[in-house]
Amino acid sequence: MTRPACWHCGQALPADPPRAIVGSVAHEVCCQGCKAAAEWIDQLGLSDYYRLRSAPAASAPDLQAAARSASAWTRPELSRHVVRPLSGGQSEVLLLVDGIRCAACVWLIERALSALPGVVSVQVNAAARRARVVWEPQRTDLAAILDALAKTGYQALPLDAKALDDARQREARDALKRLLVAGFGAMQAMMYASAIYFGAVSDIDAPTRAAMRWLGLLVATPVVLYSARPFFAGAWRSLRARTLGMDVPVAIAIALIYGASLVEALRGQGEVYFDSVSMFVFFLLVGRFLEMRARHRAGDLVDALARTTPAYAERLHADGRIERIGALELVVGDRVQIAEGERVPADGVLESGSCRVDEALLSGESAPVRKDRGDALVGGSVLLDGPATMRVTRVGADTALAGIAALVARAHSERPRLAREGERAAAGFVARVLTLAALCALGWSFVDPSRALGATLAVLVVSCPCAFALAVPAALTRALSVLAARGVFVVHPDAIEGLARATHAVFDKTGTLTSAELALEPVPGAERETTLALAAALARGSTHPAAQALVGAAEGLPLHPVQDVRTVRGQGVEGLVDGRRLRLGQRAWALAGDAAATLSSTAAARTAAVAVAAADDDAVILAEEGRELAAFRLREHLRPGAREAVVGLRESGVEVELVSGDAQAKVDAAAQALGIERRHARASPADKLQRLQQLRADGARVLAVGDGINDAPVLAGADVAIALASGSELARASGDIVLEGAHLAALPQARLLAQRTLAVLRQNQRWALVYNLSVVPLGALGFVPPWLAAIGMSTSSLVVILNALRIGREGAESAAASTTAVQWQQEAA
C-alpha cells in the first residue's frame, strides 16, 4: 500500500492534512506553505506545472520568514552588493535558487517571474541552480522578485554582483555554443558525405555529387572557423611562446583536412573530408567540454560557501530592539541574535549560554560541536540549539569562510610541479608526432600518393596528446576538490606530492596535539582578579593557547590598554599596562632584571607567543621589575583527533616525532599518551629548525605540523608544512596545507588520498602513452580514417577524466575503516 504523500512536494502527510484547491480540485498537502505555493501557482494560470514536472517540488518555505527576508533587500545599502545596473535604466541580479528539480521547475520559475510587472527577462540554469533576472527598477524591485519566488515554492539567495561576470559561466556558455554548432555541422556533413559515398555505388550524377560537395563545404565552414577557433588560438599562443602545445597538431590537422577538401571541391574531383573535419572538431569539443565540467566541479565549493554565507542577520540594539539587516551591513562589535536552525552571520564570540553548532562544511566534522559562553562562533555554521546571542569580531573578507574561499582560489590558480612536468612532456611528444606525420607523408608519397593525405591526417589526429596533457591536471584538480570538502585546504598544489611521499612527521605539542585549560595558583584577596586582568591585557590578541586561556579566564574583567608592547620569541611579552612595566612568560625571563636584553620591537607584537614553561616549572609568570606578581599554570589534554592522526600516519609508514619548547615532563606525558617514541623537549625555534635540517640531511622527506609563531621557521623549512587554521597568521602563511577547525584526524586520510592521486596520475599517463603507441602505427599504415581517429582521441581523453573522478570515492571507504581501527585500538588501550 502506497503511503499518502503531499501533492506538491511529495513529503509524508500529517494526520489532518490541509487541502490546496488547484483547478477546482482539492489536493492534500503537508503544510500551509505547500498549500499557499500550489494555490499561488494556480492563480498565475501555471497549473500545467504539475502535469509537466518529472519530480516533486521542494518543500515550500515559510512565507512569513521569506517575506521578512525579501523586505530586507529594499535597503539600498544591502541591494547595491547584488544588483548591477544596466544600460537603459534596467537592473539585473543573479540568484542561487534552491528547489529546482526538473525542466518543469525552470518553466514555472520563468513564467512566474515574467508575470511580474517590469520584469524584462528571466534565464534559469537548472544544472547550476541559478537564475538571471533583468527588470525595470521603476516598476518592481528585488524584494518583489524574491517574494514571488517564495510564493511559488522556491528559496532564492542573491549572489554578489561580481558573480554575474563569473568566468566559469562565460566559459561554459561559450563552449556549449561551439559544441552545438560543431554537432549540427557534423551531422549535416555526414549526411551529405553519405550521399556521395552511396552515390559512388549507384552512379549518382555529377551535378548532384558537386552539390553534395558544396553543401558539405557550407556546413563545415562555420565548424572550422567558429567551433575550432579555440584550437587555432591555442596553437598560435604556443607557437608565439616557442613551445609545442597539444593544440598545435590539432590545428594543423584541421587546417590540412579543410584546406585539402576545399581545393578538391573547387577542382570538382578527388576526395573531400568535410565530414571528417566536422566530426573531428565535434569529438574534440566533446572531450574539452567534459574536461571543463570536471574542472568546474572542483569549484563547486564556492557555491557551497555562497549557500553557507547567510544573507541576513538580527542585530540587537542597546534598547533591546531587534533589527533585521543584511549580513553585509554588520560591523565589528555588533551584537547579533541567532535563532535555532539559522546560520551564524559572521565570526564572533558567544555571549549567551552553551549551545551546539554544526560546522560540517568548515571542518569536515559531522558531529555537532558544543560551544560555551566566550567560545568563538564561525560564520556559516548552523546553530542547532537556540536562540543564542553573539558579539561580532570579524566581518567580510576577514571571516573564516572568506579565508577558505581565498585558499581554494589560490590553490586552483597555481600550477604545481607535476603539471609543469606534464606540459613539458606533452610538448616533447608533440614534436615527435609532427616528425612522425612528416615521415608518414613522405613515405606514402612514394608508395601511394593518393593515400598520403588520409594517413598523415590520421597520424596527426590519433596521436594528439590531449589525454597525456590532461593526465596531471585532471587528477590534481579532483584531489584539491575532495580535500577541500573534507576541511583540508591545499594552499600550494605541490604539497599533494610532498604529502604522499613524506617519510617523517614533526609535530609541535602545545596548541597542535594538545589544548590547554587555565588553572590559577591561589592569590589572596582581590589581587587575584587584579593580576589576572593585568596578564590578560598583555596576552590579548595572541593566538597562543596560553594567551587565549588567560584572556578567556579574564572575561568580564576590565582590561587596561597596553603600550610599548615588545616580544621575545620563545620567552614572553613585555609592555606598559596602566603605567606599570610588566612581563609575562617564562619564569627565568620574566624575573630577569635587564628588561631591554634580547627584546625586539615588532609591529606584529599582538600576535606574539606567550611561553608556557621554563626549567622545571610549567607556570606562566607575571612579573613587575623582577618581582613575581602571579603564576598561571596550564592543564593540558589531547586535542580531539590527535591520536587518530599519529596512529594513522604511523600505519602509513611515516615516522612521527614530537618537538616542543615545553618542559620535559609535559612533553613525555603527551608523547606517552600518543604513543610517540621520539620526543624533544625545551626546544627553541632554532632547535626545531636544526632538528628538521638533520632529518632532511639524512634523506628524509619531512612533514611539519604546527600552529604558533615559534613554529613558523620549521613550517617554512619543511618539505610539506601543515598549519592549523586556529593558529597564528604567521603559521598559516608558512603552511602549504591548512587544516580547518584543527581537524587532525583528517591528516592521515589526506595522505592516503594524496597517494591515491599520484597513483591515478601515473595510471593516466601510462594509459595515454600505451594508447598512442598502439594506434599510431595503425594510422600510419592507413587503417584508421580521420573521423575514426577523432573518436579514438576523444575517447582516450574521456577515460583520463573518468579515472580522475575516482579519486576520493575509494579513499572514503578506506579512511572510514582506518578511523574505526584507531577507535578500537583506543578502546582496547
Side-chain angles (χ1 to χ4, degrees):
M1 178 176 172
T2 304
R3 185 178 180 180
C6 174
W7 185 69
H8 179 74
C9 70
Q11 305 232 356
L13 291 174
D16 186 18
R19 287 173 171 77
I21 308 300
V22 177
S24 303
V25 179
H27 300 275
E28 292 184 337
V29 292
C30 63
C31 62
Q32 293 297 325
C34 285
K35 177 179 184 295
E39 293 180 347
W40 175 256
I41 292 171
D42 182 57
Q43 291 174 18
L44 293 175
L46 302 176
S47 57
D48 281 346
Y49 159 74
Y50 294 103
R51 178 177 55 84
L52 298 173
R53 65 179 180 175
S54 59
S59 181
D62 184 337
L63 293 183
Q64 291 183 350
R68 290 196 303 271
S69 299
S71 63
W73 293 101
T74 58
R75 302 163 59 93
E77 56 269 27
L78 179 59
S79 62
R80 65 183 175 87
H81 292 284
V82 297
V83 176
R84 187 172 70 172
L86 300 176
S87 57
Q90 297 177 346
S91 299
E92 72 173 341
V93 71
L94 188 66
L95 304 174
L96 195 61
V97 185
D98 282 334
I100 297 180
R101 302 292 176 83
C102 60
C105 294
V106 176
W107 177 88
L108 176 62
I109 291 172
E110 289 179 345
R111 281 157 180 77
L113 294 184
S114 297
L116 291 176
V119 172
V120 177
S121 69
V122 182
Q123 298 174 358
V124 181
N125 184 332
R129 297 188 293 276
R130 294 188 179 191
R132 177 180 177 272
V133 185
V134 179
W135 73 93
E136 298 174 354
Q138 300 84 2
R139 303 180 61 190
T140 191
D141 56 18
L142 177 58
I145 293 171
L146 296 177
D147 186 56
L149 278 172
K151 288 180 178 178
T152 314
Y154 300 93
Q155 290 181 315
L157 172 65
L159 296 177
D160 194 279
K162 64 183 180 182
L164 292 164
D165 299 319
D166 189 357
R168 289 193 303 159
Q169 185 182 29
R170 294 198 308 272
E171 182 186 13
R173 185 169 57 244
D174 184 66
L176 186 59
K177 288 191 294 186
R178 295 183 190 277
L179 182 61
L180 291 175
V181 171
F184 176 78
M187 289 189 297
Q188 293 299 111
M190 180 58 71
M191 183 178 67
Y192 300 137
S194 299
I196 297 177
Y197 298 150
F198 295 144
V201 179
S202 58
D203 295 328
I204 188 173
D205 59 275
T208 303
R209 180 185 296 270
M212 294 297 105
R213 289 171 177 267
W214 287 107
L215 288 173
L217 172 63
L218 180 65
V219 297
T221 298
V223 174
V224 173
L225 299 183
Y226 173 69
S227 296
R229 185 177 177 182
F231 303 114
F232 291 113
W236 177 245
R237 284 194 300 269
S238 297
L239 294 175
R240 287 186 63 184
R242 297 182 179 181
T243 61
L244 291 176
M246 64 180 181
D247 286 332
V248 173
V250 170
I252 293 175
I254 294 173
L256 284 178
I257 298 173
Y258 181 77
S261 301
L262 177 61
V263 171
E264 296 299 329
L266 294 174
R267 292 175 56 196
Q269 58 184 357
E271 296 293 333
V272 293
Y273 298 97
F274 294 124
D275 56 328
S276 295
V277 71
S278 299
M279 292 186 66
F280 179 41
V281 173
F282 174 68
F283 285 116
L284 274 172
L285 290 175
V286 168
R288 293 281 179 94
F289 186 79
L290 293 174
E291 173 208 349
M292 179 199 66
R293 290 293 300 274
R295 186 161 30 88
H296 287 182
R297 247 182 248 120
D300 286 346
L301 181 64
V302 177
D303 280 353
L305 292 175
R307 291 188 185 89
T308 303
T309 306
Y312 315 101
E314 304 281 351
R315 182 161 59 191
L316 286 172
H317 291 269
D319 58 1
R321 181 170 51 90
I322 298 177
E323 179 188 13
R324 188 174 182 83
I325 63 171
L328 294 172
E329 299 178 76
L330 288 174
V331 296
V332 174
D334 278 348
R335 295 180 68 244
V336 177
Q337 179 172 292
I338 311 165
E340 181 176 320
E342 290 190 356
R343 293 191 179 273
V344 179
D347 291 358
V349 176
L350 182 64
E351 290 193 341
S352 56
S354 61
C355 63
R356 292 181 306 130
V357 295
D358 180 0
E359 298 179 348
L361 180 65
L362 302 170
S363 63
E365 178 61 56
S366 58
V369 180
R370 178 185 173 85
K371 299 289 184 178
D372 295 314
R373 179 181 174 85
D375 287 346
L377 294 178
V378 181
S381 55
V382 180
L383 182 68
L384 301 180
D385 302 327
T389 303
M390 81 165 194
R391 184 173 298 278
V392 176
T393 57
R394 290 184 296 183
V395 296
D398 296 329
T399 62
L401 274 177
I404 292 172
L407 288 175
V408 173
R410 179 177 174 184
H412 285 288
S413 64
E414 292 192 3
R415 295 166 64 244
R417 185 186 64 82
L418 288 173
R420 296 193 296 270
E421 289 182 353
E423 290 177 4
R424 285 195 293 268
F429 194 83
V430 168
R432 289 189 286 271
V433 167
L434 295 177
T435 302
L436 181 60
L439 293 175
C440 179
L442 182 63
W444 277 107
S445 64
F446 289 107
V447 177
D448 186 356
S450 64
R451 301 180 62 185
L453 178 63
T456 303
L457 294 176
V459 170
L460 282 172
V461 173
V462 80
S463 60
C464 174
C466 293
F468 196 82
L470 284 174
V472 175
L476 290 182
T477 301
R478 172 65 180 175
L480 290 174
S481 175
V482 173
L483 287 172
R486 296 180 181 179
V488 181
F489 299 97
V490 181
V491 181
H492 302 290
D494 281 338
I496 292 180
E497 181 184 10
L499 180 61
R501 295 176 175 172
T503 60
H504 288 68
V506 175
F507 280 88
D508 174 48
K509 182 182 71 68
T510 306
T512 302
L513 293 174
T514 64
S515 299
E517 295 177 348
L518 186 64
L520 297 183
E521 187 177 83
V523 180
E527 292 184 14
R528 172 188 176 91
E529 292 188 355
T530 303
T531 54
L532 179 58
L534 292 174
L538 274 176
R540 98 184 127 181
S542 172
T543 57
H544 192 278
Q548 292 178 341
L550 279 167
V551 175
E555 182 180 358
L557 298 178
L559 301 184
H560 298 282
V562 184
Q563 298 175 346
D564 192 23
V565 180
R566 294 180 293 182
T567 69
V568 173
R569 180 176 292 175
Q571 298 294 328
V573 59
E574 179 191 47
L576 282 173
V577 183
D578 198 20
R580 303 169 66 181
R581 172 69 61 178
L582 302 178
R583 279 187 173 191
L584 181 71
Q586 291 192 14
R587 178 180 295 276
W589 175 81
L591 299 179
D594 185 5
T598 69
L599 286 177
S600 59
S601 179
T602 171
R606 290 268 176 202
T607 60
V610 179
V612 176
D616 296 326
D617 191 353
D618 61 356
V620 176
I621 303 300
L622 177 67
E624 180 180 11
E625 297 179 353
R627 179 173 60 90
E628 180 178 327
L629 299 180
F632 307 100
R633 287 193 171 84
L634 298 172
R635 290 194 303 262
E636 289 187 319
H637 59 269
L638 293 181
R639 186 183 290 276
R643 182 169 178 80
E644 289 88 339
V646 172
V647 173
L649 287 175
R650 196 164 50 230
E651 289 180 347
S652 68
V654 177
E655 294 189 24
V656 181
E657 292 191 17
L658 176 57
V659 183
S660 173
D662 219 336
Q664 186 69 53
K666 298 186 72 175
V667 173
D668 289 341
Q672 184 175 3
L674 293 168
I676 300 176
E677 296 181 0
R678 297 185 180 182
R679 77 283 304 260
H680 304 271
R682 302 173 186 168
S684 66
D687 295 333
K688 294 181 180 181
L689 186 58
Q690 183 180 6
R691 176 55 186 162
L692 184 143
Q693 291 172 343
Q694 289 175 351
L695 291 173
R696 297 187 68 184
D698 294 336
R701 292 176 178 265
V702 183
L703 165 71
V705 187
D707 76 319
I709 285 182
N710 59 339
D711 299 318
V714 180
L715 294 177
D719 293 289
V720 182
I722 298 181
L724 305 186
S726 58
S728 69
E729 290 186 15
L730 185 56
R732 293 197 300 270
S734 303
D736 300 310
I737 298 173
V738 176
L739 295 180
E740 182 62 34
H743 193 41
L744 288 175
L747 187 53
Q749 300 173 14
R751 174 173 160 80
L752 291 175
L753 189 136
Q755 292 174 326
R756 179 62 181 162
T757 299
L758 293 189
V760 168
L761 187 151
R762 301 306 178 198
Q763 291 173 5
N764 287 346
Q765 290 179 326
R766 285 195 295 269
W767 156 255
L769 185 61
V770 170
Y771 163 77
N772 281 282
L773 293 177
S774 302
V775 299
V776 166
L778 298 177
L781 294 174
F783 295 131
V784 181
W787 64 268
L788 184 58
I791 296 177
M793 186 273 300
S794 298
T795 302
S796 68
S797 299
L798 181 60
V799 168
V800 165
I801 295 171
L802 294 178
N803 191 40
L805 291 178
R806 293 170 50 226
I807 295 175
R809 296 179 180 175
E810 299 177 4
E813 298 177 1
S814 62
S818 176
T819 301
T820 303
V822 172
Q823 292 173 348
W824 288 345
Q825 291 179 13
Q826 288 178 309
E827 292 173 1

